[in-house]
Amino acid sequence: ARPIEKRLLAQGRRYPATQLRILVLGAGGTARAALYAAEQLGAVACVYNRTLSKATALAGEFSACEALSQPSELSSVPFDVVISTLPPAAHTDELAAQLMPVFAVTNERAQHPVFLDVVYYPRPTKLSVAAAAAHCECIDGLEMVVEQGVWGFECW
């Protein structure tokens, strides 16, 4: 959460976490961890997966979470944070094109979403390239892994 928090603060987004809208791409274990963190913050979250039943099952584990499976559903509301938990093989040109409206939509302060891609190899991914092209603040998986290590060291 530190890399995301740093980017949000750098953009002047100092409003309460309960006003954050977070989109999580994928419905596996890493998506579950991202949604758990969103719930702990009190943020509103959506989970997007190409298989609606998987998205629905995962969303059902959290109180303020909605499942989405159609790309058209993604651009209706601006997201403050987009977290991709998709494996590298899922990063296709087609998916990047479907997500461009999400990356391009700005909030009421004309800010693009912060994009965290948990993939740390290969970098950059097609989704990271698309997000950067849409002027999103991008965080790659390597920065996330380093921050996890720093946090673990601090706890120790």
Side-chain angles (χ1 to χ4, degrees), residues 53-151:
S53 61
K54 290 181 181 180
T56 302
L58 183 58
E61 297 178 24
F62 301 95
S63 58
C65 187
E66 178 184 355
L68 306 171
S69 69
Q70 298 300 316
S72 61
E73 298 173 303
L74 297 174
S75 60
S76 59
V77 177
F79 291 98
D80 297 291
V81 179
V82 177
I83 302 171
S84 174
T85 67
L86 301 171
H91 290 240
T92 63
D93 290 331
E94 179 184 0
L95 180 60
Q98 290 173 344
L99 291 173
M100 279 306 287
V102 175
F103 297 143
V105 170
T106 58
N107 65 14
E108 65 279 355
R109 295 175 185 88
Q111 297 164 318
H112 293 277
V114 172
F115 178 69
L116 168 62
D117 191 343
V118 302
V119 173
Y120 49 87
Y121 184 83
R123 346 183 317 228
T125 65
K126 291 181 180 185
L127 295 184
S128 292
V129 170
H135 308 289
C136 294
E137 284 278 339
C138 296
I139 305 164
D140 67 21
L142 185 59
E143 183 177 345
M144 181 192 73
V145 169
V146 168
E147 285 289 346
Q148 287 175 335
V150 169
W151 179 80

